[in-house]
Amino acid sequence: MARNVKFDELGPVGLVSIDNPPVNAISHPVRLELIDAIERAEKNSSIKVLLIMSSGERFSAGADITEFDRPQDEPSLQQVQARIESSLIPVVAAIHGLALGGGLELAMACHYRLAHKGAKLGMPEITLGIIPGAGGTQRLPRLVGARAALNMILSGTPISAQEAKANGLVDELAEDNLRDAAVSFCERLVHEGLGPRPTCNRTVIDGLDEAEIASALRTQARALKGRTTQNLVIEAIQASGLPFSQGIAIETALAQKSLASRESLALRHVFFAERKSGRLSAASSVDAKPTQPPAIQRVVVIGAGTMGSGIAIAFADAGLEVLVNDNDPAALSRSGEFIRLTYASSVRRSRITQSVADERIRRIRNVDTLAEVADADLVIEAVFEDPELKKDVLSKLDSALPAQRLIATNTSTLSVTELARATAHPERILGLHFFVPAHASKLLEIVRTDHTSSESLSTAFRVARVLKKSAVVSRDAFGFIGNRMMLDGYFREAEQLLLEGATPSQVDTALENFGFAMGPQRVSDLGGNDVGTKARVQLFKRESRPDPYFAIADRLTEMGRLGQKTGRGFYCYEDGSHEAASDPEVIELIEKLAADRSIRRREINDQEIVERCILSLINVGAMVLEEGIAARASDIDVVWTSGYGFPRHLGGPMFYADTLGLSHVLQRIRHYHEKLGHYWRPTPTIERLASAGSSFERWDNTAGSQ
Ligand code: 3H9
């Protein structure tokens, strides 16, 4: 009894429907049943044409990624495609929603393709560190040309049905009902006697020259920094000029190579980590049974500063109604201006049209009193980082809103537990830690206290999904997950290296070459050294412990060298430029601060810079796990890859530690512990895992954190 593929006879049309929720991945049972359906149709003389469609929201998200760790069980997707291409009757694919990767490759092996006008078609394999391995690099160039195929595969971004029609990827668009349109298309084929039209028999009309390759690589330079998969893609597409069987053989070999690469393992790890982080772990002490969170349509943001305005934009972008409240009319007017300018810039960059911008601006409106927030589905408090002010706002919100509504604070430094004490319903209070700019950054830390209920967490997960952000739950603790690791590990070590003899540009360049989007000192200058100083003062107050590590950044703040906004910080920025130029005054300052601390400066090489910054990040990451602040090592990887610029193709700090091997990690941490002192003490979790020959991945799998 077929479970994933259904077969129906509609007169001369044999309708094959893939039904493999949630995303119609072409997994092994689907492949088996597709072959069955084709054979069944061929044996039935009244069936003259085969139509492949899918149920659910999308045609198919591609091959089943969970099968990538083992050899594909037969029939492989390639075998299914060969069976389709050699079918005696024409096979038509009708695409709705999304056709991605192996899903689109399946459609490309069909003889004809239709798409609903709202469909999107793409080859996202490169985002997983692999090349299309089911004929995508050979059939796509045959349908759209080698140049267009290269751009589509290197970008990984889906194209619209209209673009697909224009470039020859699909034959027809369906304006309304796809099934009706597809069935009449099939009947037309029968009527006109049009038979099979295998894509593999076509020839590629263009080739790739060096200039085109260079231009395509330049367009994707940012996304592909430090990556290697693109080289395999180019090699495979170049092979599409060969006879199909030779091209396919080359593609298969290159696809195997890409699948086995570290880059792919890391990117697949992040893919699944991001999906897992948006769920409660079984190890969470809250009741983790799934609850159906209420729909969110109307959001209130209290506080119209930069963060509040960015949050308002994020919700308006997601199609929600946003009310902004601030008791300072000047702040509201600045916020309105900020929102208008942000949308104007999106229009200028052709990201959205003017009418879309106008519609989003209309979704955001100001309200004068807290009384008006009573029917909001969610309220986010984003006023100044002043505990008394925040408590006052939360307590008023608590009285104004029905008890089951979620109230979130956007604090980045204060104790959420402490703030929640100001309310009568601490179970509906949690932190939603947005990152600047709130409307663009991908990460959302959800900060739970011991009192936060599972319903509140479910709603917060829903919020993250609505905003299309990666959600990670952090326990309420110093710096949550990301800033804790940044301050106690990564940035701390970067400053220490400056005192010991490195220059800001040496530290930044070494870490940028490692793969970080931007080095730590450039990040500080961009965000504002004063912002960092203020946040640390607030944070370290929370811990009642001194902050011994940021002497340079704090001194720069005192000197008014606040970063890019004042033209001077760790670097000099001439005439409003973003170009960071080294400044001898900063080197002198660092030398003086080092002398005050009796630190003898020396030459430090890039390898030591990277090793110390990354190992300290890993060591503190392990502490964050040990202390239960993060539930999974993979959650930490999501925080760092989506919010702090850690190279995604290295999988995040904890995955990277596993690839280095924890006994090596431990040995190097011990080395620095001996050399540099107590603050390098290895975290017991690393000692334990290393001595057991284990890994963070295994820790995740055995700690019951699924
Ligand atoms: C490929 O096709 C290779 C071929 O060239 C060669 C083959 C030989 N497989 O993201 P969501 C799961 S490579 C297995 O939360 P959304 C996902 O893990 C593939 N599972 O939903 C999650 O599971 P869980 C190329 C998959 O609505 C659940 O589905 N394709 C796959 O936010 C829901 O996912 C891609 O790279 C899969 N292919 O987004 C597309 N896809 O509930 C990858 C998803 O247990 N997928 N799952 O956590 C996506 O981009 C998004 O999932 C999609 C839906 C946009 C489709």
Side-chain angles (χ1 to χ4, degrees):
M1 172 77 178
R3 286 189 304 120
N4 300 106
V5 175
K6 291 194 194 90
F7 184 81
D8 290 299
E9 284 182 42
L10 307 173
V13 181
L15 174 60
V16 175
S17 312
I18 302 172
D19 182 15
N20 185 24
V23 294
N24 287 325
I26 315 291
S27 39
H28 183 235
V30 173
R31 300 197 297 272
L32 269 175
E33 292 171 28
L34 277 172
I35 296 269
D36 275 357
I38 297 165
E39 288 180 350
R40 193 166 149 192
E42 278 190 343
K43 280 186 202 138
N44 182 340
S45 59
S46 59
I47 301 283
K48 307 290 184 211
V49 55
L50 207 57
L51 171 61
I52 301 182
M53 297 188 70
S54 295
S55 37
E57 280 174 42
R58 51 186 81 82
F59 180 73
S60 168
D64 188 335
I65 308 170
T66 61
E67 294 178 359
F68 285 3
D69 293 330
R70 53 183 196 274
Q72 254 192 93
D73 288 325
E74 294 200 346
S76 64
L77 185 48
Q78 292 87 332
Q79 287 168 327
V80 175
Q81 291 168 315
R83 191 67 192 76
I84 290 174
E85 271 189 331
S86 64
S87 160
L88 302 173
I89 55 172
V91 184
V92 178
I95 296 165
H96 75 288
L98 270 173
L100 296 179
L104 182 55
E105 287 172 306
L106 177 75
M108 286 195 284
C110 294
H111 304 129
Y112 301 88
R113 282 158 296 283
L114 264 90
H116 182 260
K117 65 176 180 193
K120 293 204 159 161
L121 302 85
M123 307 294 300
E125 283 87 342
I126 197 154
T127 62
L128 297 169
I130 57 175
I131 72 162
T137 65
Q138 306 303 302
R139 289 193 182 87
L140 189 59
R142 281 173 165 77
L143 290 167
V144 305
R147 205 179 313 155
L150 179 69
N151 285 317
M152 200 167 150
I153 297 175
L154 285 188
S155 85
T157 310
I159 59 172
S160 67
Q162 289 70 21
E163 288 169 277
K165 170 78 173 69
N167 72 15
L169 183 51
V170 302
D171 300 291
E172 264 187 30
L173 295 187
E175 286 297 317
D176 299 311
N177 187 308
L178 177 64
R179 184 174 142 144
D180 290 352
V183 170
S184 25
F185 181 87
C186 289
E187 286 167 351
R188 225 164 53 228
L189 288 182
V190 178
H191 184 68
E192 292 173 13
L194 293 170
R197 193 186 60 167
T199 311
C200 62
N201 291 350
R202 297 190 185 198
T203 48
V204 181
I205 46 158
D206 61 351
L208 294 177
D209 66 28
E210 289 305 317
E212 278 153 7
I213 294 174
S215 147
L217 287 173
R218 252 194 324 275
T219 312
Q220 302 303 331
R222 211 164 146 194
L224 296 176
K225 183 182 160 200
R227 303 273 315 269
T228 57
T229 318
Q230 62 274 26
N231 303 329
L232 305 181
V233 169
I234 293 164
E235 210 179 323
I237 293 186
Q238 278 169 330
S240 66
L242 298 171
F244 187 76
S245 58
Q246 286 179 34
I248 276 288
I250 292 173
E251 181 196 83
T252 303
L254 293 170
Q256 285 308 326
K257 191 169 165 184
S258 68
L259 259 177
S261 68
R262 270 196 180 191
E263 193 167 307
S264 170
L265 289 176
L267 288 165
R268 282 185 272 146
H269 162 77
V270 177
F271 176 85
F272 286 114
E274 283 175 345
R275 275 139 193 94
K276 214 190 296 175
S277 74
R279 286 195 299 253
L280 277 181
S281 79
S284 310
S285 55
V286 289
D287 171 12
K289 75 173 180 298
T291 50
Q292 185 53 41
I296 301 160
Q297 278 157 359
R298 178 185 258 219
V299 177
V300 171
V301 180
I302 312 287
T306 310
M307 197 45 107
S309 308
I311 295 172
I313 293 173
F315 281 103
D317 286 350
L320 276 71
E321 186 189 350
V322 191
L323 308 182
V324 181
N325 170 269
D326 195 304
N327 53 16
D328 176 5
L332 280 173
S333 119
R334 276 195 305 274
S335 166
E337 189 56 17
F338 174 83
I339 291 167
R340 269 189 299 281
L341 288 176
T342 305
Y343 280 120
S345 150
S346 299
V347 172
R348 229 181 8 261
R349 293 176 194 195
S350 307
R351 293 202 175 133
I352 51 171
T353 61
Q354 187 61 51
S355 68
V356 169
D358 292 343
E359 192 189 328
R360 292 183 185 179
I361 290 172
R362 275 197 300 275
R363 285 185 196 136
I364 305 174
R365 65 189 171 84
N366 298 337
V367 288
D368 294 333
T369 63
L370 286 188
E372 290 177 67
V373 311
D375 55 352
D377 301 309
L378 161 72
V379 182
I380 301 174
E381 160 295 290
V383 300
F384 293 120
E385 285 287 276
D386 170 345
E388 293 317 313
L389 175 63
K390 281 192 184 282
K391 279 185 197 168
D392 182 49
V393 170
L394 289 174
S395 142
K396 285 181 179 143
L397 288 172
D398 193 40
S399 314
L401 280 147
Q404 62 281 16
R405 298 280 160 76
L406 180 66
I407 302 177
T409 165
N410 175 54
T411 184
S412 54
T413 58
L414 302 171
S415 158
V416 179
T417 311
E418 203 42 49
L419 297 178
R421 287 211 176 99
T423 72
H425 301 98
E427 69 284 353
R428 52 127 145 211
I429 309 288
L430 48 68
L432 285 182
H433 185 207
F434 288 81
F435 292 76
V436 181
H439 55 285
S441 77
K442 244 194 103 198
L443 176 64
L444 183 64
E445 276 184 325
I446 297 173
V447 185
R448 51 173 285 217
T449 72
D450 288 345
H451 305 289
T452 305
S453 67
S454 57
E455 285 76 17
S456 299
L457 284 169
S458 299
T459 307
F461 285 136
R462 184 167 197 150
V463 170
R465 273 191 89 82
V466 164
L467 296 177
K468 296 194 170 63
K469 292 191 188 289
S470 300
V472 177
V473 175
S474 169
R475 269 191 183 277
D476 180 28
F478 172 89
F480 313 136
I481 298 173
N483 284 348
R484 162 80 183 278
M485 290 171 66
M486 182 174 83
L487 294 178
D488 272 356
Y490 181 61
F491 270 38
R492 172 209 76 190
E493 205 53 28
E495 277 240 352
Q496 194 62 28
L497 284 155
L498 294 181
L499 291 173
E500 289 177 32
T503 63
S505 83
Q506 201 194 345
V507 171
D508 283 341
T509 308
L511 288 158
E512 283 158 16
N513 288 341
F514 173 78
F516 270 95
M518 204 184 258
Q521 270 77 46
R522 275 194 252 275
V523 168
S524 296
D525 272 1
L526 184 66
N529 291 315
D530 55 328
V531 175
T533 298
K534 237 188 260 166
R536 285 192 297 273
V537 167
Q538 195 70 267
L539 262 168
F540 282 97
K541 228 192 266 169
R542 167 180 184 160
E543 282 283 282
S544 314
R545 64 173 162 133
D547 159 18
Y549 298 120
F550 292 90
I552 305 168
D554 289 346
R555 186 70 194 102
L556 290 174
T557 300
E558 277 167 30
M559 293 162 73
R561 298 190 64 121
L562 307 184
Q564 281 194 23
K565 60 187 170 189
T566 57
R568 284 158 14 120
F570 278 98
Y571 297 95
C572 252
Y573 303 87
E574 290 302 336
D575 303 324
S577 131
H578 297 308
E579 273 315 298
S582 296
D583 187 341
E585 193 182 307
V586 174
I587 308 294
E588 262 173 47
L589 168 72
I590 295 172
E591 283 168 354
K592 179 174 179 311
L593 290 170
D596 292 348
R597 287 159 180 72
S598 311
I599 296 172
R600 261 208 12 247
R601 287 168 57 79
R602 64 188 166 91
E603 284 280 314
I604 298 182
N605 64 34
D606 291 357
Q607 195 192 338
E608 179 176 341
I609 293 173
V610 171
E611 185 175 56
R612 282 174 56 180
C613 288
I614 302 302
L615 287 180
S616 58
L617 192 53
I618 293 167
N619 202 28
V620 184
M623 265 180 236
V624 162
L625 267 185
E626 195 166 281
E627 293 166 13
I629 296 165
R632 315 174 182 97
S634 64
D635 285 359
I636 294 176
D637 289 334
V638 174
V639 167
W640 275 80
T641 49
S642 58
Y644 290 80
F646 191 98
R648 202 176 159 90
H649 66 275
L650 297 179
M654 311 319 275
F655 180 88
Y656 185 67
D658 281 354
T659 61
L660 293 175
L662 292 190
S663 47
H664 170 78
V665 167
L666 177 62
Q667 180 222 327
R668 297 303 296 160
I669 291 176
R670 281 186 176 147
H671 163 79
Y672 288 119
H673 188 206
E674 272 167 33
K675 206 168 140 192
L676 299 167
H678 74 280
Y679 79 101
W680 267 93
R681 189 179 63 81
T683 302
T685 298
I686 296 191
E687 289 179 319
R688 231 180 10 258
L689 292 175
S691 73
S694 191
S695 62
F696 287 116
E697 187 188 8
R698 246 177 272 162
W699 191 94
D700 272 3
N701 292 337
T702 53
S705 53
Q706 293 307 287

